[in-house]
Amino acid sequence: MRVGVLTGGGDCPGLNAVIRAIVRKGVQEYGYDFIGFRDGWRGPLQGETVPLSIPAVRGILPRGGTVLGSSRTNPLRAEHGVRRIRDNLAKYEVDALVTIGGEDTLGVAATLADEHGIKCVGVPKTIDNDLSATDYTFGFDTAVGIATEAIDRLHTTAESHMRVLVVEVMGRHAGWIALHSGLAGGANVILIPEQRFDVDQVCAWVVSRFRASYAPIVVVAEGAVPQQGEVILKDGSHDSFGHVRLSGVGEWLAKQIESRTGKEARTTVLGHVQRGGTPSAFDRWLATRFGLHAIDAVRDGDFGTMVALKGTDIVRVPIAEATARLKTVDPALYAEAGVFFG
């Protein structure tokens, strides 16, 4: 059997660990051949490949990013996209495809598997941790660690100048990174997409913090929205999955705080630094286990499924089920963090 592997969507730490585990077990235990498709769905769409073998995956476990490259290409919007993918899979004699990605990448895999009979197995990847069928996605733990370290560092400069520091983290529809890093980093305000925020209340918390002779840290997810207003956009452009580019809520909020409280406020946008660098030990562990179980699903012919973490077990769920809805922050969890606001 020849198995194709691709990584789609935003890159994140742990992708290489998955690739390594798939190839190592697939070659050593099942005698499979492997081929990597370049740059997400663009690879099978355009027939761009790289060889995958045990020597090719040596040393990649601790590396961030993906050796296969990634993109946000949506083949379902390309002219004759499904036919072109079929033709290229046939050209390279690929019997099955392991797709590593988030909501969009796996959404394409679900359509190809369920509606077109292409043999796909999914692996959940997103730093946002917003796939509902798995307890955790790899990449999330590393992103939270990076954001937490940044918040720790910003506390000292905020207190040195007694100014407000607004930290904008990633999180389009789900505030998991903001919640986890904000709580771990001792933020005084955490704002998430699931709960519209009141600017006056934020300013009240900021003023309260200054009364205690401390400089406040405000952590805000890029998708957070004020009660009276709309989501803040970087520009009006859309990617091939129809998503607008977010960013700017941190800067907007800092200006609101400064004008309403008279306190100096600055913004730090962590952006892509949350995606980069060496994966944490947890993400290496989780990504490796996902890879091992994904190639098992291929061996079992259990296509149209995604591997998922439930407790400490790796299970299989339908890809369509995994991408049907997003996993968002429960209001009760957010309420726990509210104890520390102000």
Side-chain angles (χ1 to χ4, degrees):
M1 176 177 279
R2 171 170 283 186
V3 180
V5 182
L6 66 83
T7 55
D11 67 293
C12 79
L15 285 166
N16 289 322
V18 182
I19 297 167
R20 170 180 174 269
I22 290 170
V23 174
R24 286 287 298 270
K25 188 169 188 178
V27 172
Q28 292 174 191
E29 298 197 11
Y30 304 138
Y32 294 164
D33 292 326
F34 289 89
I35 186 170
F37 285 100
R38 290 285 307 169
D39 302 333
W41 285 113
R42 184 183 299 152
L45 188 65
Q46 299 182 356
E48 299 175 1
T49 67
V50 294
L52 276 183
S53 61
I54 288 180
V57 299
R58 285 199 181 107
I60 68 172
L61 174 65
R63 288 175 57 182
T66 165
V67 295
L68 296 178
S70 191
S71 74
R72 297 190 184 277
T73 301
N74 183 354
L76 302 181
R77 288 193 172 187
E79 186 175 6
H80 307 302
V82 175
R83 189 195 71 193
R84 290 161 62 187
I85 288 175
R86 282 187 184 281
D87 290 346
N88 283 317
L89 293 180
K91 174 182 176 181
Y92 292 103
E93 300 179 326
V94 173
D95 301 294
L97 195 59
V98 178
T99 58
I100 310 166
E103 174 195 8
D104 296 325
T105 301
L106 295 179
V108 171
T111 299
L112 294 179
D114 295 343
E115 298 180 17
H116 302 282
I118 294 175
K119 297 177 179 178
C120 296
V121 169
V123 178
K125 170 252 26 155
T126 169
I127 66 169
D128 291 331
N129 197 42
D130 59 1
L131 288 175
S132 61
T134 184
D135 289 348
Y136 285 97
T137 56
F138 69 87
F140 171 67
D141 185 72
T142 304
V144 169
I146 291 168
T148 301
E149 181 181 357
I151 294 166
D152 286 345
R153 292 175 180 274
L154 290 170
H155 272 293
T156 58
T157 185
E159 290 172 8
S160 295
H161 295 272
M162 289 304 288
R163 60 166 62 119
V164 185
L165 282 182
V166 178
V167 185
E168 183 182 305
V169 300
M170 285 185 170
R172 176 180 295 273
H173 301 297
W176 293 108
I177 294 176
L179 181 66
H180 281 239
S181 64
L183 199 58
N188 311 110
V189 182
I190 302 170
L191 306 175
I192 61 175
E194 294 87 342
Q195 302 275 345
R196 283 182 174 261
F197 63 88
D198 182 344
V199 178
D200 288 334
Q201 178 62 74
V202 172
C203 291
W205 283 326
V206 164
V207 171
S208 173
R209 182 68 172 175
F210 276 115
R211 288 199 193 103
S213 298
Y214 287 98
I217 299 286
V218 178
V219 174
V220 56
E222 62 185 354
V225 184
Q227 284 182 353
Q228 305 299 323
E230 300 296 329
V231 65
I232 309 298
L233 305 180
K234 188 176 185 67
D235 53 46
S237 63
H238 293 71
D239 65 20
S240 63
F241 289 94
H243 300 309
V244 293
R245 296 178 64 193
L246 299 182
S247 187
V249 66
E251 188 65 32
W252 178 87
L253 183 59
K255 291 177 180 177
Q256 292 293 317
I257 292 171
E258 192 165 287
S259 65
R260 298 186 189 205
T261 68
K263 302 293 186 180
E264 183 182 8
R266 299 289 178 85
T267 307
T268 298
V269 180
L270 296 186
H272 288 82
V273 72
Q274 295 159 91
R275 293 190 180 281
T278 300
S280 67
F282 178 83
D283 279 342
R284 298 185 204 189
W285 170 85
L286 181 58
T288 296
R289 292 192 69 203
F290 277 162
L292 297 175
H293 285 262
I295 200 62
D296 285 347
V298 171
R299 176 205 57 185
D300 295 341
D302 199 2
F303 301 113
T305 62
M306 183 193 85
V307 293
L309 181 69
K310 292 294 184 183
T312 57
D313 295 329
I314 305 296
V315 300
R316 299 173 193 168
V317 298
I319 301 176
E321 175 187 315
T323 58
R325 65 180 181 86
L326 292 177
K327 179 177 66 181
T328 53
V329 174
D330 188 292
L333 283 177
Y334 186 62
E336 291 176 358
V339 171
F340 304 98
F341 293 179

